[in-house]
């Protein structure tokens, strides 16, 4: 998935590389999802082809219907064997997409195979806002419902995404034209704070509609803690604000760093400040303009990334933050760049680089993972998912996490070259987190008395942050930025 087209690749604990929607699901439901929660056409086709090669279908013609659709249904039904009460299946994309056709056909069949009170279809549609006449248009909704009905799916509930509140008469019109009960037309309008959405949907009666449709006992929802959190966010004073710069390479599409931006906002909730997140293209930064570009920021994040475009700007940014004591967090590639910058500027090493960018450099302070030296391909060779990390007790990072043993999620091929550990530490870049066997460097820091916040992690802390339980590194970054 290209970060420019598809936004960030979200990584689960068990190492699945998924669509960024899963990140939202985790943040909203506070559940760690797994690879089973992300089903792509590729996975489905691969399974079917493998089954065919094994001879599972001997004598049969293998086709999209029923083989591909059966495979999709099997994935959904597999949750029945687990401790799960309700399966929510989102079919991504838009009705009419070629890619989603087999998926829609599969859920149509599920609707038929299950008793009527065991399956409900919820359709999310857009009501475009026309600014000139200050109105919402229901035509696209009518069309997409029609399209859905033509393939045999009758939505029970419509969740209508709109920029403004939906007038009652429009809801009635939508209900009539789309053959949906009027109380099942649910408004999903733009709210100031994203985390208010579940409360809005509750107020709109989404859960009631689902309970009714599935004939479930409808308990009164207990959203107290979530409501408190939203209230707390609303109370943050307008002038309480910190400005954070994300200096990376995929800035053209802000969704590329979605979880990082959300985690920064979570850090704001925990510190009672608004976080103004800004994206700066590292390619536009050089030693001449750095001061001008970054002077108004209270903190900096160098996020993950692949390939050498824009790395010079990242190194310049790190040097600026290190020397001017601006709080800075390096994530994955960002951490690797911190190590490279330190080797160049403090250790005064010549020809320093990551093997990712220059295989033949004299000082590869970042090099390819040991077990991958022999694999000569780039697909499917990354360290993925949650790995444990042991933190040194007397470090700043230990103070931040409040624990010696943590796990964080990974997605990388390159890592700290252990040959440089001693020299780095001697000169002030401390290695304070490693894998339990001490082989993989996970966290580097400058001690708190040397720098307010200079921390780099080989992992992605943003994937575990939740609005009411911010990832510790983001909490501390914002705390220091606020100071
Ligand atoms: N490109 C680097 C690597 O493969 C960093 C990856 C990342 O930032 N996720 O190790």
């Amino acid at each position: 998935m290209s970060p420019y087209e598809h936004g960030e690749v979200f990584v689960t604990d068990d190492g699945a590389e998924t669509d960024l929607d899963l990140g939202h699901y985790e943040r909203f439901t506070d559940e760690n999802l797994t690879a089973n929660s992300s089903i792509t056409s590729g996975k489905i086709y691969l399974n079917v082809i493998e089954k065919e090669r094994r001879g599972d279908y001997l004598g049969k013609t293998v086709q999209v219907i029923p083989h591909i659709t059966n495979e999709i249904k099997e994935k959904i039904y597999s949750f029945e064997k687990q401790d799960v009460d309700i399966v929510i299946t989102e079919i991504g994309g838009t009705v009419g997409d070629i890619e989603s056709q087999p998926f829609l056909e599969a859920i149509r069949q599920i609707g038929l195979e299950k008793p009527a009170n065991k399956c409900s279809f919820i359709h999310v549609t857009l009501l475009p806002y026309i600014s000139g006449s200050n109105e919402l248009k229901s035509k696209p909704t009518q069309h997409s419902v029609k399209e859905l009905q033509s393939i045999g799916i009758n939505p029970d509930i419509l969740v209508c995404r709109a920029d403004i509140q939906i007038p009652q008469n429009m809801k009635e019109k939508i209900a009539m034209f789309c053959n949906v009960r009027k109380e099942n037309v649910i408004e999903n309008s733009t709210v100031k704070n994203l985390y208010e959405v579940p409360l809005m949907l509750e107020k709109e009666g989404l859960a009631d509609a689902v309970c009714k449709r599935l004939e479930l006992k409808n308990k009164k929802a207990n959203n107290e803690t979530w409501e408190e959190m939203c209230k707390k966010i609303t109370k943050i004073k307008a002038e309480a604000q910190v400005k954070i710069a994300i200096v990376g390479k995929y800035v053209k599409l802000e969704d590329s760093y979605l979880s990082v931006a959300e985690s920064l906002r979570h850090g704001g909730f925990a510190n009672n400040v608004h976080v103004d997140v800004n994206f700066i293209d590292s390619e536009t930064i050089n030693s001449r303009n750095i001061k001008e570009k970054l002077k108004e920021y209270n903190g900096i994040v160098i996020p993950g990334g692949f390939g050498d475009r824009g790395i010079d700007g990242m190194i310049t940014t790190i040097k600026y933050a290190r020397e001017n004591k601006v709080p800075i967090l390096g994530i994955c590639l960002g951490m690797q760049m911190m190590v490279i910058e330190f080797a160049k500027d403090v250790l005064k090493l010549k020809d320093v680089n990551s093997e990712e960018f220059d295989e033949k450099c004299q000082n590869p302070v970042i090099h390819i993972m040991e077990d991958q030296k022999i694999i000569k391909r780039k697909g499917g060779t990354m360290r993925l998912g949650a790995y444990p990390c042991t933190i040194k007790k007397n470090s700043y990072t230990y103070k931040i996490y409040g624990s010696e043993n943590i796990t964080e999620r990974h997605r990388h091929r390159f890592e700290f070259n252990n040959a440089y550990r001693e020299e780095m530490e001697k000169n002030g870049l401390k290695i304070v987190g490693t894998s339990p066997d001490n082989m993989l460097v996970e966290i580097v820091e400058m001690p708190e008395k040397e720098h307010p916040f200079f921390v780099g992690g080989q992992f992605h802390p943003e994937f575990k942050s939740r609005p009411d339980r911010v990832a510790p590194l983001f909490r501390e970054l914002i705390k220091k930025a606020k100071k």
Side-chain angles (χ1 to χ4, degrees):
M1 286 183 284
S2 161
Y4 294 115
E5 286 150 20
H6 216 279
E8 108 188 334
V9 174
F10 186 78
V11 181
T12 56
D13 263 349
D14 63 351
E17 298 172 276
T18 76
D19 187 276
L20 52 78
D21 289 345
L22 262 81
H24 276 318
Y25 294 150
E26 287 205 354
R27 287 185 283 271
F28 279 100
T29 63
D30 199 6
E31 291 285 333
N32 285 335
L33 301 176
T34 67
N36 292 333
S37 299
S38 172
I39 303 170
T40 60
S41 299
K43 274 192 208 169
I44 295 291
Y45 273 85
L46 186 64
N47 282 354
V48 169
I49 289 168
E50 277 171 354
K51 281 185 180 169
E52 191 278 331
R53 293 289 84 180
R54 259 201 330 258
D56 291 8
Y57 309 120
L58 279 188
K60 301 236 169 60
T61 307
V62 181
Q63 288 177 295
V64 173
I65 302 174
H67 298 93
I68 295 295
T69 44
N70 282 353
E71 191 66 31
I72 297 169
K73 285 194 295 183
E74 238 173 73
K75 289 272 181 220
I76 297 173
Y77 284 146
S78 73
F79 285 98
E80 291 187 322
K81 294 181 213 106
Q82 298 172 30
D83 182 24
V84 158
D85 294 318
I86 296 177
V87 180
I88 302 174
T89 303
E90 178 204 335
I91 314 288
T94 308
V95 188
D97 283 352
I98 292 177
E99 286 93 337
S100 63
Q101 276 177 10
F103 288 89
L104 292 172
E105 169 58 16
I107 62 161
R108 181 193 69 81
Q109 293 178 18
I110 286 180
L112 213 60
E113 288 166 12
K114 288 276 147 193
N117 65 348
K118 291 273 186 240
C119 177
S120 176
F121 292 111
I122 303 175
H123 186 37
V124 181
T125 70
L126 177 69
L127 300 181
Y129 172 68
I130 311 294
S131 59
S133 54
N134 188 27
E135 60 172 348
L136 294 171
K137 288 285 183 196
S138 67
K139 229 355 165 241
T141 294
Q142 293 178 41
H143 276 296
S144 83
V145 171
K146 223 192 228 161
E147 186 82 23
L148 205 51
Q149 284 166 338
S150 77
I151 51 176
I153 297 174
N154 226 328
D156 307 301
I157 298 166
L158 293 180
V159 174
C160 301
R161 185 70 190 87
D163 274 342
I164 56 169
Q165 288 193 338
I166 307 171
Q168 189 55 33
N169 62 355
M170 175 160 252
K171 284 188 181 173
E172 281 161 21
K173 182 176 158 193
I174 293 170
M176 192 174 74
F177 279 108
C178 298
N179 198 32
V180 170
R181 285 171 188 284
K182 128 167 141 251
E183 66 275 18
N184 288 4
V185 177
I186 306 292
E187 172 176 319
N188 179 9
S189 52
T190 303
V191 280
K192 252 213 191 121
N193 156 23
L194 181 68
Y195 296 104
E196 278 168 19
V197 170
L199 301 175
M200 167 175 58
L201 297 177
E202 176 68 15
K203 213 161 84 200
E204 278 287 300
L206 175 60
D208 292 332
V210 172
C211 287
K212 210 160 165 196
R213 181 68 185 76
L214 298 182
E215 295 174 17
L216 297 171
K217 239 207 265 146
N218 193 354
K219 292 195 249 177
K220 198 174 154 19
N222 180 1
N223 291 325
E224 233 171 79
T225 32
W226 199 269
E227 279 162 8
E228 299 264 292
M229 176 185 80
C230 288
K231 246 191 241 151
K232 200 180 143 208
I233 297 169
T234 323
K235 275 197 202 135
I236 299 173
K237 292 199 187 77
E239 62 277 14
Q241 200 197 56
V242 296
K243 281 191 85 159
I244 302 290
I246 297 181
V247 180
K249 58 185 287 194
Y250 313 119
V251 294
K252 266 179 250 135
L253 183 67
E254 297 190 356
D255 272 0
S256 306
Y257 303 119
L258 183 68
S259 292
V260 175
E262 282 310 309
S263 305
L264 287 167
R265 292 189 187 105
H266 303 165
F269 305 158
N271 287 289
N272 283 310
V273 283
H274 294 287
V275 179
D276 181 8
V277 180
N278 295 265
F279 298 87
I280 299 180
D281 183 350
S282 58
E283 266 196 305
T284 65
I285 289 184
N286 55 50
S287 51
R288 279 169 285 79
N289 66 14
I290 180 90
K291 253 202 190 112
E292 198 44 42
K293 283 224 176 225
L294 290 179
K295 64 171 193 249
E296 55 186 314
Y297 292 101
N298 311 104
I300 299 166
V301 176
I302 310 283
F306 296 83
D308 64 357
R309 202 170 48 69
I311 59 167
D312 289 339
M314 293 178 199
I315 291 176
T316 308
T317 304
I318 293 163
K319 179 176 162 67
Y320 165 85
R322 185 171 55 75
E323 292 178 345
N324 294 285
K325 309 231 184 287
V326 182
I328 183 166
L329 171 64
I331 297 174
C332 205
L333 179 70
M335 172 267 201
Q336 299 174 355
M337 290 301 119
M338 280 175 156
V339 172
I340 292 175
E341 193 279 325
F342 205 83
K344 278 188 175 178
D345 217 59
V346 182
L347 306 190
K348 305 281 183 225
L349 296 180
K350 294 263 140 25
D351 195 18
V352 182
N353 218 327
S354 159
E355 276 184 0
E356 181 178 4
F357 313 130
D358 182 1
E359 277 182 24
K360 298 203 174 66
C361 66
Q362 253 178 56
N363 286 296
V365 290
I366 302 295
H367 66 171
I368 189 94
M369 276 158 46
E370 281 298 324
D371 44 346
Q372 284 181 13
K373 280 196 176 133
I374 22 164
I375 308 175
K376 285 273 179 250
R377 65 177 162 87
K378 288 243 168 103
T381 54
M382 282 195 264
R383 180 194 297 273
L384 288 168
Y387 283 84
C389 165
T390 310
I391 301 179
K392 277 203 189 126
K393 256 200 143 157
N394 50 4
S395 64
Y396 175 35
T397 303
Y398 174 79
K399 186 176 137 192
I400 298 171
Y401 273 93
S403 169
E404 248 178 300
N405 301 305
I406 61 162
T407 67
E408 292 283 10
R409 298 181 191 172
H410 296 68
R411 182 169 184 257
H412 66 105
R413 278 184 202 96
F414 296 86
E415 57 191 34
F416 190 103
N417 184 343
N418 287 331
Y420 295 89
R421 271 196 193 191
E422 235 185 275
E423 228 182 320
M424 293 275 174
E425 295 230 73
K426 251 199 333 234
N427 286 280
L429 189 67
K430 301 292 179 198
I431 288 147
V432 294
T434 63
S435 55
D437 65 2
N438 197 24
M439 290 308 287
L440 170 69
V441 172
E442 290 271 23
I443 308 171
V444 297
E445 71 168 38
M446 282 174 70
E448 203 184 2
K449 56 180 188 320
E450 308 290 336
H451 192 288
F453 186 98
F454 189 95
V455 183
Q458 182 53 73
F459 45 77
H460 291 268
E462 70 272 25
F463 293 143
K464 281 176 69 175
S465 191
R466 305 278 158 88
D468 48 354
R469 196 158 19 84
V470 55
L473 290 174
F474 288 94
R475 187 198 61 230
E476 184 72 9
L477 172 71
I478 300 298
K479 184 177 153 197
K480 286 295 173 70
K482 186 179 167 186
K483 259 194 187 161

